[in-house]
Amino acid sequence: VLSIWGVTFKTLRENPNILVPFLVVGFVDTLILALVYLAPRPPLSALLAPPIRAFWGEQFLHYPFNLFLIPRLFQYGHIISTAFIGVLMTGVAILMLKEAKGSLRPCILFNLIKSLRMYLRLLVIWLVIFGLVSVVFKVVPFAFKLKQPLITLYISLFISIFIQTIFMYAMPAVMLEQKKAFSAMKRSISFSKNVFLTTLILVGIPTLFYIPLIMLQGGLAKLMSRLFPEIVLAIMGLNIIVSVITDCLVTCSTTILFLEQRKV
């Protein structure tokens, strides 16, 4: 693990443009946060106010109730942006890492075109992983019937990390080996068996960064009431920063591991 992280940081230091795909995702998420914050105000209110009024009521178009709705609206926007932008940028980053490992200068434009060609395969893989993780977070509280939300959170998070671990190499298999979606997922399961513990740590440790944020968001309404409503913007902004760093570290480290081990 330490060796892979060492190679990862060295690769990013020597090829900082590999960070661009992750920064693009962070920029899009920041834009989404700005849009949901400004949703009750003209000119955005003409487009966004009617659905907010229909689903949540008129009060959520007015201060401070509009701020209480921001985390939910941002979550919906983030899911959409990940499906369209995040998946695409992950493909670009994987190809750029391949070029960097081959002592070539990573190119964003050409790799973006290649990623676009593989987009549907990448999307299918993401939908499978997203669907499985979503089911876990819905089913675990009922399956274990635990009254302690923190224990339920930890169990759900561990299972989701396990799911990501076994499917982590599906996107690299698509981009680097031109496999179709389900063949790539099969390839990922097969590959992860040989490096399971290493991958579990590479995925798990950065993912644990989300725990404080999840806990913060769980008590966000109380925090907003005790401090000031606008604190939600700072917390959501921190969430975007952590998400960019985590995605970059997980994607780059596991891709480098895949590139190195498939040569063995």
Side-chain angles (χ1 to χ4, degrees):
V1 172
L2 294 177
S3 173
I4 292 297
W5 276 339
V7 175
T8 300
F9 290 126
K10 182 175 183 291
T11 302
L12 292 175
R13 186 171 63 252
E14 294 176 352
N15 304 274
N17 56 341
I18 294 175
L19 296 171
V20 172
F22 302 101
L23 294 176
V24 168
V25 174
F27 173 77
V28 172
D29 278 348
T30 303
L31 186 61
I32 290 170
L33 181 59
L35 288 174
V36 298
Y37 172 63
L38 297 172
R41 306 179 185 182
L44 293 175
S45 58
L47 178 64
L48 299 177
I52 293 174
R53 187 180 293 111
F55 285 100
W56 292 284
E58 180 68 29
Q59 65 175 343
F60 286 100
L61 290 171
H62 303 282
Y63 183 88
F65 298 102
N66 63 307
L67 295 174
F68 284 85
L69 193 58
I70 283 178
R72 180 174 293 186
L73 293 177
F74 176 79
Q75 182 183 15
Y76 296 151
H78 176 70
I79 291 171
I80 295 171
S81 73
T82 302
F84 287 98
I85 305 298
V87 167
L88 195 64
M89 290 297 110
T90 298
V92 173
I94 289 168
L95 291 173
M96 293 178 74
L97 285 162
K98 179 188 176 183
E99 290 178 338
K101 288 290 290 178
S103 301
L104 300 173
R105 184 175 181 179
C107 176
I108 296 174
L109 181 59
F110 288 122
N111 289 326
L112 177 60
I113 294 171
K114 292 177 183 178
S115 187
L116 280 167
R117 292 173 182 170
M118 297 293 185
Y119 172 72
L120 289 179
R121 300 181 189 184
L122 297 174
L123 181 62
V124 169
I125 292 168
W126 178 82
L127 287 172
V128 169
I129 298 171
F130 175 75
L132 290 172
V133 171
S134 298
V135 168
V136 166
F137 277 90
K138 295 290 184 183
V139 169
V140 165
F142 294 101
F144 289 88
K145 297 181 180 178
L146 296 172
K147 295 182 179 180
Q148 294 293 333
L150 275 180
I151 297 176
T152 303
L153 170 63
Y154 294 145
I155 293 172
S156 301
L157 198 60
F158 178 79
I159 297 173
S160 69
I161 289 172
F162 176 82
I163 292 170
Q164 291 177 68
T165 296
I166 62 175
F167 289 115
M168 196 69 229
Y169 302 102
M171 289 190 182
V174 168
M175 300 308 302
L176 303 176
E177 299 179 346
Q178 289 74 51
K179 290 187 178 294
K180 294 184 178 179
F182 291 103
S183 295
M185 285 186 276
K186 184 178 178 181
R187 165 74 163 135
S188 180
I189 294 170
S190 175
F191 183 85
S192 63
K193 288 179 183 177
N194 300 320
V195 289
F196 181 79
L197 184 58
T198 302
T199 308
L200 186 67
I201 297 171
L202 291 174
V203 174
I205 290 181
T207 303
L208 294 179
F209 296 161
Y210 284 112
I211 290 181
L213 288 172
I214 294 172
M215 294 175 67
L216 268 177
Q217 291 182 45
L220 191 55
K222 190 179 294 185
L223 195 63
M224 291 170 68
S225 300
R226 289 181 178 179
L227 297 177
F228 49 92
E230 287 80 5
I231 192 69
V232 65
L233 297 174
I235 293 173
M236 299 312 296
L238 181 62
N239 184 69
I240 292 172
I241 294 170
V242 171
S243 179
V244 169
I245 294 172
T246 302
D247 288 347
C248 178
L249 187 56
V250 170
T251 301
C252 292
S253 62
T254 54
T255 300
I256 286 171
L257 179 60
F258 186 76
L259 286 166
E260 291 190 350
Q261 290 296 314
R262 64 197 285 260
K263 294 177 183 178
V264 177

PDB file of all heavy atoms in Angstrom, residues 176-191:
ATOM      1  N   LEU A 176      -8.415   0.392 -20.427  1.00  0.00           N
ATOM      2  CA  LEU A 176      -7.073  -0.098 -20.748  1.00  0.00           C
ATOM      3  C   LEU A 176      -7.084  -1.399 -21.533  1.00  0.00           C
ATOM      4  O   LEU A 176      -6.116  -1.717 -22.219  1.00  0.00           O
ATOM      5  CB  LEU A 176      -6.264  -0.294 -19.458  1.00  0.00           C
ATOM      6  CG  LEU A 176      -6.130   0.951 -18.568  1.00  0.00           C
ATOM      7  CD1 LEU A 176      -5.390   0.605 -17.288  1.00  0.00           C
ATOM      8  CD2 LEU A 176      -5.434   2.081 -19.314  1.00  0.00           C
ATOM      9  N   GLU A 177      -8.179  -2.168 -21.427  1.00  0.00           N
ATOM     10  CA  GLU A 177      -8.249  -3.453 -22.115  1.00  0.00           C
ATOM     11  C   GLU A 177      -9.433  -3.535 -23.066  1.00  0.00           C
ATOM     12  O   GLU A 177      -9.690  -4.586 -23.650  1.00  0.00           O
ATOM     13  CB  GLU A 177      -8.316  -4.582 -21.082  1.00  0.00           C
ATOM     14  CG  GLU A 177      -7.098  -4.629 -20.171  1.00  0.00           C
ATOM     15  CD  GLU A 177      -7.170  -5.726 -19.127  1.00  0.00           C
ATOM     16  OE1 GLU A 177      -8.273  -6.297 -18.930  1.00  0.00           O
ATOM     17  OE2 GLU A 177      -6.147  -6.042 -18.499  1.00  0.00           O
ATOM     18  N   GLN A 178     -10.169  -2.422 -23.212  1.00  0.00           N
ATOM     19  CA  GLN A 178     -11.299  -2.315 -24.137  1.00  0.00           C
ATOM     20  C   GLN A 178     -12.367  -3.401 -23.918  1.00  0.00           C
ATOM     21  O   GLN A 178     -12.990  -3.874 -24.870  1.00  0.00           O
ATOM     22  CB  GLN A 178     -10.826  -2.360 -25.608  1.00  0.00           C
ATOM     23  CG  GLN A 178     -10.085  -1.115 -26.063  1.00  0.00           C
ATOM     24  CD  GLN A 178      -8.678  -1.036 -25.502  1.00  0.00           C
ATOM     25  OE1 GLN A 178      -7.913  -1.995 -25.615  1.00  0.00           O
ATOM     26  NE2 GLN A 178      -8.320   0.068 -24.898  1.00  0.00           N
ATOM     27  N   LYS A 179     -12.538  -3.778 -22.677  1.00  0.00           N
ATOM     28  CA  LYS A 179     -13.555  -4.782 -22.385  1.00  0.00           C
ATOM     29  C   LYS A 179     -14.936  -4.135 -22.305  1.00  0.00           C
ATOM     30  O   LYS A 179     -15.062  -2.951 -21.997  1.00  0.00           O
ATOM     31  CB  LYS A 179     -13.244  -5.498 -21.064  1.00  0.00           C
ATOM     32  CG  LYS A 179     -12.028  -6.409 -21.153  1.00  0.00           C
ATOM     33  CD  LYS A 179     -11.853  -7.221 -19.890  1.00  0.00           C
ATOM     34  CE  LYS A 179     -10.666  -8.167 -19.993  1.00  0.00           C
ATOM     35  NZ  LYS A 179     -10.865  -9.222 -21.011  1.00  0.00           N
ATOM     36  N   LYS A 180     -15.981  -4.928 -22.584  1.00  0.00           N
ATOM     37  CA  LYS A 180     -17.341  -4.450 -22.427  1.00  0.00           C
ATOM     38  C   LYS A 180     -17.703  -4.434 -20.946  1.00  0.00           C
ATOM     39  O   LYS A 180     -16.999  -5.018 -20.120  1.00  0.00           O
ATOM     40  CB  LYS A 180     -18.299  -5.322 -23.229  1.00  0.00           C
ATOM     41  CG  LYS A 180     -18.072  -5.208 -24.728  1.00  0.00           C
ATOM     42  CD  LYS A 180     -19.096  -6.011 -25.513  1.00  0.00           C
ATOM     43  CE  LYS A 180     -18.854  -5.837 -27.017  1.00  0.00           C
ATOM     44  NZ  LYS A 180     -19.822  -6.614 -27.826  1.00  0.00           N
ATOM     45  N   ALA A 181     -18.808  -3.776 -20.618  1.00  0.00           N
ATOM     46  CA  ALA A 181     -19.125  -3.485 -19.218  1.00  0.00           C
ATOM     47  C   ALA A 181     -19.125  -4.713 -18.326  1.00  0.00           C
ATOM     48  O   ALA A 181     -18.421  -4.762 -17.312  1.00  0.00           O
ATOM     49  CB  ALA A 181     -20.468  -2.758 -19.141  1.00  0.00           C
ATOM     50  N   PHE A 182     -19.902  -5.728 -18.670  1.00  0.00           N
ATOM     51  CA  PHE A 182     -20.038  -6.880 -17.788  1.00  0.00           C
ATOM     52  C   PHE A 182     -18.786  -7.761 -17.811  1.00  0.00           C
ATOM     53  O   PHE A 182     -18.427  -8.365 -16.802  1.00  0.00           O
ATOM     54  CB  PHE A 182     -21.297  -7.669 -18.147  1.00  0.00           C
ATOM     55  CG  PHE A 182     -22.563  -6.929 -17.817  1.00  0.00           C
ATOM     56  CD1 PHE A 182     -23.304  -6.307 -18.818  1.00  0.00           C
ATOM     57  CD2 PHE A 182     -22.995  -6.817 -16.504  1.00  0.00           C
ATOM     58  CE1 PHE A 182     -24.457  -5.593 -18.512  1.00  0.00           C
ATOM     59  CE2 PHE A 182     -24.152  -6.106 -16.182  1.00  0.00           C
ATOM     60  CZ  PHE A 182     -24.879  -5.495 -17.187  1.00  0.00           C
ATOM     61  N   SER A 183     -18.103  -7.804 -18.950  1.00  0.00           N
ATOM     62  CA  SER A 183     -16.817  -8.499 -18.995  1.00  0.00           C
ATOM     63  C   SER A 183     -15.794  -7.787 -18.120  1.00  0.00           C
ATOM     64  O   SER A 183     -14.959  -8.430 -17.462  1.00  0.00           O
ATOM     65  CB  SER A 183     -16.301  -8.570 -20.435  1.00  0.00           C
ATOM     66  OG  SER A 183     -17.145  -9.348 -21.235  1.00  0.00           O
ATOM     67  N   ALA A 184     -15.861  -6.465 -18.101  1.00  0.00           N
ATOM     68  CA  ALA A 184     -14.947  -5.673 -17.273  1.00  0.00           C
ATOM     69  C   ALA A 184     -15.216  -5.911 -15.788  1.00  0.00           C
ATOM     70  O   ALA A 184     -14.279  -5.990 -14.983  1.00  0.00           O
ATOM     71  CB  ALA A 184     -15.093  -4.195 -17.602  1.00  0.00           C
ATOM     72  N   MET A 185     -16.481  -6.035 -15.422  1.00  0.00           N
ATOM     73  CA  MET A 185     -16.811  -6.302 -14.018  1.00  0.00           C
ATOM     74  C   MET A 185     -16.346  -7.689 -13.606  1.00  0.00           C
ATOM     75  O   MET A 185     -15.836  -7.886 -12.487  1.00  0.00           O
ATOM     76  CB  MET A 185     -18.318  -6.134 -13.790  1.00  0.00           C
ATOM     77  CG  MET A 185     -18.758  -4.676 -13.765  1.00  0.00           C
ATOM     78  SD  MET A 185     -20.494  -4.450 -13.330  1.00  0.00           S
ATOM     79  CE  MET A 185     -21.256  -4.701 -14.934  1.00  0.00           C
ATOM     80  N   LYS A 186     -16.476  -8.646 -14.505  1.00  0.00           N
ATOM     81  CA  LYS A 186     -15.966  -9.996 -14.252  1.00  0.00           C
ATOM     82  C   LYS A 186     -14.449  -9.966 -14.109  1.00  0.00           C
ATOM     83  O   LYS A 186     -13.873 -10.631 -13.233  1.00  0.00           O
ATOM     84  CB  LYS A 186     -16.382 -10.927 -15.389  1.00  0.00           C
ATOM     85  CG  LYS A 186     -15.996 -12.377 -15.185  1.00  0.00           C
ATOM     86  CD  LYS A 186     -16.492 -13.241 -16.336  1.00  0.00           C
ATOM     87  CE  LYS A 186     -16.051 -14.692 -16.150  1.00  0.00           C
ATOM     88  NZ  LYS A 186     -16.517 -15.547 -17.288  1.00  0.00           N
ATOM     89  N   ARG A 187     -13.800  -9.214 -14.969  1.00  0.00           N
ATOM     90  CA  ARG A 187     -12.338  -9.057 -14.923  1.00  0.00           C
ATOM     91  C   ARG A 187     -11.924  -8.420 -13.600  1.00  0.00           C
ATOM     92  O   ARG A 187     -10.927  -8.811 -12.991  1.00  0.00           O
ATOM     93  CB  ARG A 187     -11.893  -8.191 -16.097  1.00  0.00           C
ATOM     94  CG  ARG A 187     -10.474  -7.628 -16.005  1.00  0.00           C
ATOM     95  CD  ARG A 187      -9.454  -8.699 -16.257  1.00  0.00           C
ATOM     96  NE  ARG A 187      -8.154  -8.112 -16.560  1.00  0.00           N
ATOM     97  CZ  ARG A 187      -7.019  -8.520 -16.042  1.00  0.00           C
ATOM     98  NH1 ARG A 187      -6.986  -9.537 -15.184  1.00  0.00           N
ATOM     99  NH2 ARG A 187      -5.869  -7.951 -16.378  1.00  0.00           N
ATOM    100  N   SER A 188     -12.691  -7.431 -13.139  1.00  0.00           N
ATOM    101  CA  SER A 188     -12.390  -6.759 -11.885  1.00  0.00           C
ATOM    102  C   SER A 188     -12.477  -7.712 -10.697  1.00  0.00           C
ATOM    103  O   SER A 188     -11.610  -7.701  -9.811  1.00  0.00           O
ATOM    104  CB  SER A 188     -13.345  -5.580 -11.676  1.00  0.00           C
ATOM    105  OG  SER A 188     -13.063  -4.912 -10.469  1.00  0.00           O
ATOM    106  N   ILE A 189     -13.524  -8.523 -10.668  1.00  0.00           N
ATOM    107  CA  ILE A 189     -13.690  -9.492  -9.577  1.00  0.00           C
ATOM    108  C   ILE A 189     -12.515 -10.466  -9.567  1.00  0.00           C
ATOM    109  O   ILE A 189     -11.944 -10.765  -8.513  1.00  0.00           O
ATOM    110  CB  ILE A 189     -15.027 -10.240  -9.719  1.00  0.00           C
ATOM    111  CG1 ILE A 189     -16.197  -9.269  -9.516  1.00  0.00           C
ATOM    112  CG2 ILE A 189     -15.119 -11.383  -8.710  1.00  0.00           C
ATOM    113  CD1 ILE A 189     -17.554  -9.855  -9.869  1.00  0.00           C
ATOM    114  N   SER A 190     -12.136 -10.938 -10.756  1.00  0.00           N
ATOM    115  CA  SER A 190     -11.036 -11.879 -10.869  1.00  0.00           C
ATOM    116  C   SER A 190      -9.716 -11.246 -10.437  1.00  0.00           C
ATOM    117  O   SER A 190      -8.922 -11.843  -9.703  1.00  0.00           O
ATOM    118  CB  SER A 190     -10.929 -12.386 -12.314  1.00  0.00           C
ATOM    119  OG  SER A 190      -9.804 -13.206 -12.475  1.00  0.00           O
ATOM    120  N   PHE A 191      -9.473 -10.009 -10.883  1.00  0.00           N
ATOM    121  CA  PHE A 191      -8.220  -9.320 -10.573  1.00  0.00           C
ATOM    122  C   PHE A 191      -8.138  -8.977  -9.088  1.00  0.00           C
ATOM    123  O   PHE A 191      -7.081  -9.123  -8.461  1.00  0.00           O
ATOM    124  CB  PHE A 191      -8.111  -8.044 -11.405  1.00  0.00           C
ATOM    125  CG  PHE A 191      -6.827  -7.298 -11.212  1.00  0.00           C
ATOM    126  CD1 PHE A 191      -5.694  -7.627 -11.933  1.00  0.00           C
ATOM    127  CD2 PHE A 191      -6.742  -6.263 -10.285  1.00  0.00           C
ATOM    128  CE1 PHE A 191      -4.502  -6.936 -11.751  1.00  0.00           C
ATOM    129  CE2 PHE A 191      -5.556  -5.579 -10.093  1.00  0.00           C
ATOM    130  CZ  PHE A 191      -4.441  -5.919 -10.829  1.00  0.00           C
TER     131      PHE A 191
END
